[in-house]
Amino acid sequence: ITAHHLLTHTSGLVRGNDLAPDARAIVWALRDTETGFPPGERCHYSDAGYKLLGLALEAATGRPYGDLLRGILAPLGMDATEPALTHAVRPRMARGYAPLYDDRPAHASHPLVPAPWVETDSADGAIAATAGDAARFVRMLLAGGRGPAGAVLSPESFRLLTRPWIEGDDSIWGHAGYGLYVFQRGGSAMVGHGGDTPGYEAYLMADLDLGYGVALLAAQPYPPGLIRGVLDVVQAALRGQPLPELPAPSDPARVDDAAAYA
């Protein structure tokens, strides 16, 4: 298994979990698992693989992963972004919410309650950012790896980042790049990725052809199709096309058929 396999989710490793407070415990536990296929054969999303990448970077550089991220965030002007979720950061964050029930599928009629707080600094997702800073990251993608002070990625590195290496394990989002999904939508080349932690969800997308981006930050679950709907509206507006019809709102009183879940 190489770094390339970990970056493209083609290692064959299990997805992993966040049940341990330290990424080293999750990576250590991989010795009790088996790969599902030879490295490079296909794509299977692995958070554990990205935890391993972060630990490998720390070992190679002798620096904490959060400090390495700050070296990327600072040249982009992302001064309000924190590369680790810690108690010190929590007072600056919006309160996150989650569905009341954890023993059944989520439904629009279920009430929300404050989500459990999780501290994490692992490389599979531990960034707290503002909408403005997320927009700054989108501008870097649209500029081919350049920030306000100049290039943060060489042209070759940017090509590696955004190249569609292999078909992803989610047909909606196309191919896996290096830490990004690479796909076509509405006739445009798109790159982006989403993430979540208890109480928080986020998605960031860049249209490399039309030159715009969308960043969605939420402190509670949002409809899965929302980000794609936003993309469709902005694309149509920029191309001078009729705006797509809004989807009909779901009926929060509707109760799903329990037999379907059984």
Side-chain angles (χ1 to χ4, degrees):
I1 296 175
T2 67
H4 168 81
H5 296 132
L6 297 174
L7 283 163
T8 55
H9 298 288
T10 57
S11 64
L13 293 174
V14 296
R15 181 170 187 127
N17 59 59
D18 294 317
L19 299 181
D22 194 312
R24 291 172 292 185
I26 302 298
V27 171
W28 180 267
L30 290 174
R31 65 186 56 233
D32 297 321
T33 69
E34 297 180 358
T35 54
F37 49 85
E41 181 179 274
R42 57 190 176 89
C43 181
H44 174 71
Y45 201 96
S46 175
D47 287 316
Y50 266 75
K51 292 179 191 288
L52 175 54
L53 271 173
L55 295 176
L57 282 170
E58 290 185 340
T61 63
R63 299 174 59 193
Y65 178 70
D67 288 352
L68 296 174
L69 278 187
R70 289 187 191 280
I72 300 172
L73 301 174
L76 297 179
M78 296 177 65
D79 301 327
T81 297
E82 296 290 345
L85 302 182
T86 66
H87 291 305
V89 175
R90 191 178 183 186
R92 295 172 50 201
M93 296 178 62
R95 174 176 288 185
Y97 291 86
L100 170 64
Y101 303 107
D102 62 1
D103 60 349
R104 68 202 70 180
H107 188 272
S109 64
H110 296 166
L112 298 175
V113 295
W117 171 251
V118 177
E119 277 200 304
T120 179
D121 62 356
S122 57
D124 59 322
I127 296 176
T130 63
D133 273 13
R136 290 180 178 89
F137 193 83
V138 171
R139 291 190 193 105
M140 180 275 292
L141 293 174
L142 295 175
R146 295 183 61 83
V152 295
L153 290 173
S154 69
E156 176 58 24
S157 292
F158 186 77
R159 283 191 291 270
L160 293 174
L161 183 75
T162 57
R163 173 179 167 180
W165 289 100
I166 191 169
E167 185 175 355
D169 55 354
D170 185 335
S171 59
I172 295 176
W173 297 119
H175 288 69
Y178 277 2
L180 292 169
Y181 288 117
V182 183
F183 62 101
Q184 294 282 327
R185 187 169 182 85
S188 289
M190 312 285 298
V191 295
H193 204 287
D196 64 88
T197 195
Y200 304 97
E201 299 193 27
Y203 227 106
L204 185 150
M205 284 289 171
D207 185 325
L208 302 183
D209 289 330
L210 291 180
Y212 77 93
V214 174
L216 174 64
L217 308 179
Q220 65 182 58
Y222 61 82
L226 179 58
I227 187 69
R228 295 191 293 276
V230 172
L231 290 173
D232 292 343
V233 168
V234 178
Q235 279 187 337
L238 290 177
R239 290 195 167 110
Q241 300 170 346
L243 299 184
E245 294 291 332
L246 291 176
S250 60
D251 180 6
R254 183 179 65 85
V255 178
D256 292 331
D257 182 9
Y261 296 113

